Amino acid sequence: MARWMTAAWALPLLVLASSCRGAPAVRGSAALDASRVMSEVRDRTRADGDTASLATSASSRLAAGPLDVGSAVEIALAFNPTVREGYERLGIARADLVQAGLLANPMLDLGIKRFPAGTEIEGGLVAPVVDLFRMPIRRRIAASRQRAVEAEVARDVVGLVYDVRRAFLVVHEARAIVKLRSDALEAAKASLSLMESLHDAGNTLDQNRTIEAIGAARAALDLEAARSDEAEAVEDLVRLLALEEPPGALEIEGALGTAPGEGLDVADLAARAEGASWDLRALDAAVCAARQDAALVTRDRAMWLRDAGLVGKRDHGESAVGVGPHVGLELPVFDSGRTARARSAAVVRQLLAQRDARRLDVRSAARRLEARVRLLLDRERVLREQYLPERNQLVKDILDRYSMMQVGAFEVLEAKGHELDARREHVQTLAAAWRARLDVEELLAGRLNDGMVSRAGLPMEPEHPHTAGGH
Amino acid sequence: MGTTRRELMGRAALGAALVGLGARWAHAEGEGMEGAGAAPKPITAQGYRPTTTLDGKTLPYRMVDGVKVFHMVAGDVEHEFAPGLLGRCWGYNGIVHGPTIEAVEGDHVRIYVTNKLSAPTTVHWHGLFVPSGMDGVGGLSQRPIEPGETFRYEFTLRQHGTFMYHPHHDEMTQMALGLMGMIVVHPREPKGPLPDRDYVYMLGEWAMDPGVWRPDPNEMKDFNILTLNARAFPGTSPMVAQLGERVRIRIGNLSAMDHHPIHLHGYAFEVIETDGGQVPTSARWPETTVLVPTGSVRVVEFIADNPGDWAIHCHMTHHIMNQMGHGVPNTAGVDVTQFDERLMEHVPEMNEIMEAMMSGDDMDKPPPNGIPMIGGTGPRGYITMGGMFTTLRVRERLPESGDVGWYDAPAETQARPASADELRTDGVDPTSATGELPP
Ligand SMILES: [Cu+2]
């Protein structure tokens, strides 16, 4: 049984070891690694901002004028600690790789013992010869780990780029909502003041005035909430840009774009996303490292010889020095090495399971995002081309009836309120479509975020009356 | 009330209606509808003075072997309530309401009814003493007349007086769409003087919001078009009379849900007849307002001895409004301009409408099929009434042209602003809130 198990473990090791790349050249540097990673990230995220124009600090860059999304990405890439932290991880991985190529130093033993009859001198030069066998595998392990770290750093930087783009989008959305909420509040206040004039003249019920007052208070609360959303959206951006303090009011350029579907290609998304995934690449490299580690464990146990060298001794009272070879052997009496082998094989299987899980996540996210982006683009179009015009037409129709004295101003304002609700739903849907598009791009740039594997609700127009109707 | 906007809108709509729809609707009615003539109608060979159904018609007949043969055709009619207000109605012989049937006591009449409607119908002869099988109650006295069928009604007129006709099949729908008319049976041997002017009116009520083209039979309470012979002021023609003439007005009411107190200015009259027969002279009393319950006829008579332009109208104030919006807030005592101003601030479309109206660009738009809530231009300003309102114009001499025009009141009989002198002389203090006069 145990023998069979050993054979079963060995099988995946052989299969996967062949897919792992050979050890890279030890030549290279952490700086080159970082530049390679950044270049690939820029290529994938199409972040091609002009880094040369970047000032020495984010704050001084911001002082130069309103911020556009490209500059925001450049500032984040230049100053966000995530990037610096990533560079350091690359440096560590590079150091580990170099270290893995170095042989363990030989040991020089020297012992002097004094006896009444004289002094005994004993010495030896011993090299850990086992390291000669270990080193090539160790280097391959370090190289695999370096590849994993590169993929993880790339993933995190891609994430940063899209976090900045998303934060920018959320600010634009929040601003549009604040404007609509503000219009709604003004209309609600107008409705209240008209109702108050009727109420003061003794023409209408307390109840109708109260309903209008509730409408105005509600609109004020909604506006406050929208403003708070906007402030939080700006704060997200400030954090991502690594600003200690925002320079006064952060000037943010642009508005929500109108064509979130333009140039978006979702064909074959799952396969493309899988091919692009940094997570999968990192896990592949981690599996390689784990397999090589398992091979190392196996090789270690196959070799009893630990170290070898030359030893010499001059006994006390002797003048001659005895010189001879030395070997050190490990005797697998208590630890046959089976546990270590079992453990390393389990680590490989664990990583393979993690890779399978991630692969499922990526493919699921691709399907979900494709459906989401299609739905939102379609919904945005229907809202824009059909729903909003009809809502607006209803305002005009009711205005016609107002002009013919068939309805009061309150009905008109209520219809306008519903139209503002509809416009808010449109803004939210447009923003959601942009978010879905950014998610698709991010997934294709190799990073999966949590929102891609969880449900996102649709923005919906609320159904509540806006005014008392006035009679 | 805020009539300014409404007037403006109303007139713009009216203009648009005339420009845009004139050709399309010209074929509807119009041809041969009755106005008041300069002279009384001549007495017929059968010895009666023919009636006048203003804005309507009298149904012609043909004598066949001593029988008066009439033909009524029920069908769709595009009807004009007033310029700018049209309705897709049901009527007889192409008009709404149907033409007045006029005959003489003892006449044997045969009335063919062709149904060109999309629904079965019948005709009931309200108030006439007819054989039971001729009474026109669907399912009771006859089977309904199916679309495309022609039924024959035949009976002898055993009484004289003023009566009505209407469907007695799906009454709610068919009468709401306009199917009804008046019947006048003259006495074979008149007692007392014949009238010089004999006007016939049918009172009606309709539910049709501005912008809608079809009267709503489902309405039970909120009728917004109130009509005399299916016309709403300013679409109503005036009655005329020459000073001293005997004027008879026959008023039937087949409104769905309302009775109408019809009030005449400048005169007192007596009710001489109902659809049940003549009121004995000893039982008549003077009135200025006669309540005409729905399903009833009241006939009043008086001598036109007071020259002038006299209003005659339903005294229910909402019945002298056109397409009144009953869902609007009460703005009495409130500055209404702020409503428009607030809307212009918060509803940008309001400005578009206003600008289009001012520039006349909205003439391209289809008219809303609506008329101002109140009246039209009078000789001394705007007449703030609509609906069941018209005038009786009494002149010492009626012009040959038939165009009576407005009454030119002698200066000393014309109300006017009081002069400071007059106020002082009579001790009237216009600043007084109580109107107290000095001792
Ligand atoms: Cu009335």
Side-chain angles (χ1 to χ4, degrees):
Chain A
M1 181 68 187
R3 282 173 63 94
W4 183 85
M5 289 277 283
T6 313
W9 292 339
L11 191 65
L13 300 185
L14 288 172
V15 172
L16 217 101
S18 60
S19 74
C20 295
R21 272 190 271 154
V26 177
R27 245 175 264 151
S29 69
L32 281 175
D33 296 339
S35 137
R36 191 175 64 248
V37 167
M38 283 309 287
S39 152
E40 188 157 3
V41 166
R42 282 183 178 282
D43 193 43
R44 293 262 198 112
T45 60
R46 298 189 312 282
D48 44 9
D50 181 9
T51 39
S53 72
L54 275 181
T56 47
S57 76
S59 301
S60 55
R61 169 65 189 82
L62 289 172
L67 185 66
D68 64 41
V69 66
S71 312
V73 166
E74 290 309 323
I75 291 174
L77 289 178
F79 301 106
N80 189 295
T82 300
V83 180
R84 292 206 321 266
E85 196 265 349
Y87 287 169
E88 297 312 330
R89 273 149 71 201
L90 293 174
I92 292 166
R94 169 56 63 178
D96 287 349
L97 176 60
V98 172
Q99 183 70 53
L102 300 178
L103 282 176
N105 290 326
M107 295 294 291
L108 179 66
D109 278 333
L110 192 63
I112 299 171
K113 296 172 189 138
R114 276 179 206 278
F115 295 94
T119 301
E120 181 183 299
I121 300 172
E122 193 175 35
L125 185 64
V126 176
V129 283
V130 70
D131 210 46
L132 279 171
F133 300 98
R134 278 179 178 169
M135 196 262 279
I137 301 184
R138 205 169 56 211
R139 269 180 57 204
R140 280 203 288 276
I141 293 172
S144 294
R145 288 194 177 138
Q146 190 205 24
R147 287 205 309 280
V149 169
E150 279 186 9
E152 284 163 13
V153 169
R155 176 198 63 201
D156 293 348
V157 178
V158 165
L160 175 65
V161 169
Y162 281 96
D163 284 348
V164 170
R165 289 175 176 169
R166 246 187 307 276
F168 223 80
L169 170 70
V170 172
V171 171
H172 283 158
E173 177 189 10
R175 291 202 167 159
I177 297 293
V178 164
K179 171 76 177 74
L180 289 170
R181 289 287 191 201
S182 164
D183 290 350
L185 174 60
E186 291 310 310
K189 275 155 63 179
S191 202
L192 172 59
S193 93
L194 291 176
M195 189 59 85
E196 275 174 342
S197 72
L198 294 181
H199 187 257
D200 293 347
N203 295 17
T204 195
L205 294 171
D206 292 351
Q207 176 190 322
N208 287 332
R209 197 212 63 85
T210 306
I211 289 171
E212 294 301 329
I214 289 170
R218 176 81 254 164
L221 287 169
D222 291 345
L223 176 59
E224 275 316 300
R227 288 208 170 115
S228 148
D229 277 352
E230 185 193 352
E232 289 209 19
V234 170
E235 184 52 47
D236 278 343
L237 194 56
V238 165
R239 176 178 57 81
L240 290 166
L241 299 185
L243 298 174
E244 294 278 332
E245 291 287 335
L250 191 58
E251 269 191 90
I252 291 172
E253 206 171 74
L256 216 48
T258 53
E262 205 171 78
L264 181 66
D265 174 18
V266 290
D268 215 11
L269 190 58
R272 285 159 69 205
E274 197 182 325
S277 170
W278 292 113
D279 280 338
L280 292 181
R281 200 191 278 190
L283 282 162
D284 281 345
V287 168
C288 281
R291 288 203 160 120
Q292 286 148 350
D293 190 56
L296 188 62
V297 167
T298 307
R299 185 175 292 189
D300 250 10
R301 289 301 151 188
M303 210 175 79
W304 292 8
L305 180 66
R306 294 289 117 181
D307 43 39
L310 203 61
V311 290
K313 186 175 180 185
R314 198 199 71 177
D315 250 344
H316 60 282
E318 296 273 345
S319 58
V321 176
V323 178
H326 159 90
V327 291
L329 298 178
E330 180 186 351
L331 301 178
V333 176
F334 306 112
D335 177 4
S336 70
R338 182 179 291 173
T339 308
R341 284 197 301 277
R343 184 188 188 281
S344 54
V347 168
V348 171
R349 289 197 308 275
Q350 180 196 22
L351 287 166
L352 284 171
Q354 284 177 7
R355 190 189 182 285
D356 282 349
R358 206 52 175 163
R359 183 172 166 275
L360 288 172
D361 284 350
V362 168
R363 295 191 74 91
S364 166
R367 286 191 301 274
R368 185 191 294 271
L369 286 183
E370 184 179 343
R372 188 185 289 171
V373 82
R374 279 187 205 284
L375 170 73
L376 287 166
L377 288 175
D378 188 53
R379 214 173 151 78
E380 188 279 329
R381 184 184 53 74
V382 172
L383 282 166
R384 173 167 40 83
E385 290 180 1
Q386 294 171 19
Y387 192 67
L388 282 182
E390 294 296 2
R391 274 277 178 221
N392 182 252
Q393 187 57 45
L394 185 59
V395 171
K396 290 177 178 171
D397 292 345
I398 291 177
L399 257 179
D400 277 346
R401 284 180 46 79
Y402 170 77
S403 299
M404 291 183 282
M405 293 181 78
Q406 298 296 304
V407 296
F410 302 99
E411 277 86 342
V412 180
L413 288 166
E414 175 161 34
K416 195 68 195 169
H418 285 307
E419 192 202 346
L420 290 176
D421 285 345
R423 281 167 56 193
R424 212 172 54 247
E425 184 185 352
H426 175 250
V427 164
Q428 287 165 341
T429 305
L430 184 62
W434 273 115
R435 260 196 298 280
R437 187 211 171 109
L438 286 179
D439 279 349
V440 168
E441 288 178 355
E442 186 175 8
L443 190 65
L444 286 175
R447 190 224 188 190
L448 179 95
N449 68 48
D450 292 342
M452 298 178 189
V453 286
S454 56
R455 290 177 58 202
L458 285 172
M460 291 282 189
E461 182 185 355
E463 287 175 19
H464 59 76
H466 286 260
T467 82
H471 38 84
Chain B
M1 20 193 324
T3 56
T4 320
R5 178 187 60 246
R6 177 66 208 215
E7 263 177 66
L8 202 53
M9 291 299 290
R11 283 175 197 167
L14 184 86
L18 293 176
V19 169
L21 283 186
R24 189 172 145 207
W25 290 88
H27 71 280
E29 309 174 342
E31 292 291 302
M33 301 298 264
E34 265 199 293
K41 289 183 174 177
I43 292 170
T44 64
Q46 277 188 299
Y48 64 87
R49 175 93 64 196
T51 58
T52 298
T53 307
L54 290 175
D55 307 313
K57 284 181 188 175
T58 301
L59 186 64
Y61 62 86
R62 174 172 186 245
M63 291 303 295
V64 179
D65 298 331
V67 177
K68 278 186 177 166
V69 176
F70 298 86
H71 185 197
M72 292 166 59
V73 182
D76 294 324
V77 178
E78 290 166 339
H79 170 66
E80 186 192 73
F81 293 98
L85 181 59
L86 303 154
R88 292 172 188 161
C89 299
W90 287 359
Y92 296 102
N93 299 30
I95 61 171
V96 174
H97 302 298
T100 300
I101 295 173
E102 198 164 6
V104 177
E105 185 185 4
D107 281 350
H108 193 74
V109 297
R110 193 179 299 135
I111 307 173
Y112 291 94
V113 176
T114 300
N115 181 5
K116 291 195 172 175
L117 301 168
S118 52
T121 189
T122 66
V123 180
H124 163 64
W125 318 98
H126 176 115
L128 285 181
F129 304 147
V130 296
S132 173
M134 293 290 164
D135 199 39
V137 178
L140 176 66
S141 25
Q142 66 169 91
R143 74 159 173 84
I145 311 169
E146 293 299 326
E149 283 190 316
T150 299
F151 262 49
R152 195 181 88 151
Y153 294 91
E154 186 167 339
F155 43 82
T156 300
L157 300 170
R158 295 158 52 196
Q159 71 215 98
H160 65 87
T162 312
F163 313 98
M164 303 181 284
Y165 63 86
H166 61 85
H168 228 305
H169 179 87
D170 193 9
E171 299 81 352
M172 186 196 83
T173 302
Q174 302 199 355
M175 293 169 74
L177 289 170
L179 283 177
M180 59 185 71
M182 296 293 292
I183 300 170
V184 174
V185 181
H186 294 279
R188 185 149 294 275
E189 287 168 7
K191 299 185 180 78
L194 293 182
D196 301 296
R197 308 276 173 172
D198 196 343
Y199 293 107
V200 177
Y201 278 111
M202 173 67 85
L203 308 179
E205 61 189 10
W206 317 69
M208 207 171 78
D209 284 343
V212 171
W213 300 83
R214 179 89 58 186
D216 183 2
N218 300 325
E219 184 58 60
M220 182 173 170
K221 290 185 285 190
D222 198 359
F223 297 95
N224 60 356
I225 301 173
L226 284 297
T227 54
L228 299 167
N229 288 343
R231 298 279 287 182
F233 184 77
T236 52
S237 296
M239 292 183 280
V240 301
Q242 199 153 290
L243 201 63
E245 285 182 344
R246 178 173 293 271
V247 178
R248 181 179 292 174
I249 308 175
R250 307 173 190 252
I251 311 166
N253 180 12
L254 286 177
S255 298
M257 300 298 296
D258 283 296
H259 320 303
H260 301 288
I262 301 295
H263 174 60
L264 173 65
H265 292 212
Y267 291 96
F269 51 68
E270 285 183 342
V271 177
I272 62 164
E273 191 177 281
T274 75
D275 43 341
Q278 287 64 48
V279 181
T281 314
S282 59
R284 300 175 187 172
W285 67 85
E287 278 283 16
T288 63
T289 299
V290 57
L291 180 67
V292 189
T294 185
S296 307
V297 176
R298 298 290 181 266
V299 180
V300 303
E301 209 172 272
F302 55 93
I303 304 297
D305 54 6
N306 191 5
D309 287 345
W310 304 107
I312 175 167
H313 59 91
C314 177
H315 220 290
M316 294 198 181
T317 53
H318 282 243
H319 289 183
I320 45 172
M321 299 293 288
N322 290 323
Q323 295 184 298
M324 168 74 191
H326 289 115
V328 294
N330 177 5
T331 55
V334 175
D335 171 18
V336 292
T337 57
Q338 61 173 329
F339 285 78
D340 285 358
E341 284 165 9
R342 285 313 183 104
L343 288 188
M344 285 197 277
E345 276 170 45
H346 300 292
V347 186
E349 294 79 4
M350 179 83 174
N351 301 299
E352 288 169 29
I353 287 183
M354 285 300 201
E355 276 165 29
M357 239 174 57
M358 298 303 175
S359 67
D361 285 350
D362 67 338
M363 297 300 262
D364 297 337
K365 263 179 54 178
N369 194 35
I371 51 172
M373 268 183 208
I374 44 179
T377 313
R380 295 168 184 88
Y382 203 71
I383 298 174
T384 56
M385 275 176 284
M388 277 188 183
F389 173 88
T390 188
T391 51
L392 168 68
R393 304 188 187 181
V394 179
R395 300 286 184 273
E396 262 182 78
R397 188 148 305 281
L398 289 168
E400 288 297 320
S401 69
D403 182 11
V404 179
W406 299 107
Y407 183 63
D408 190 13
E412 70 277 12
T413 67
Q414 177 65 54
R416 55 170 171 74
S419 73
D421 251 7
E422 289 164 339
L423 292 171
R424 197 172 333 99
T425 309
D426 288 338
V428 173
D429 175 8
T431 65
S432 161
T434 58
E436 258 180 304
L437 292 170

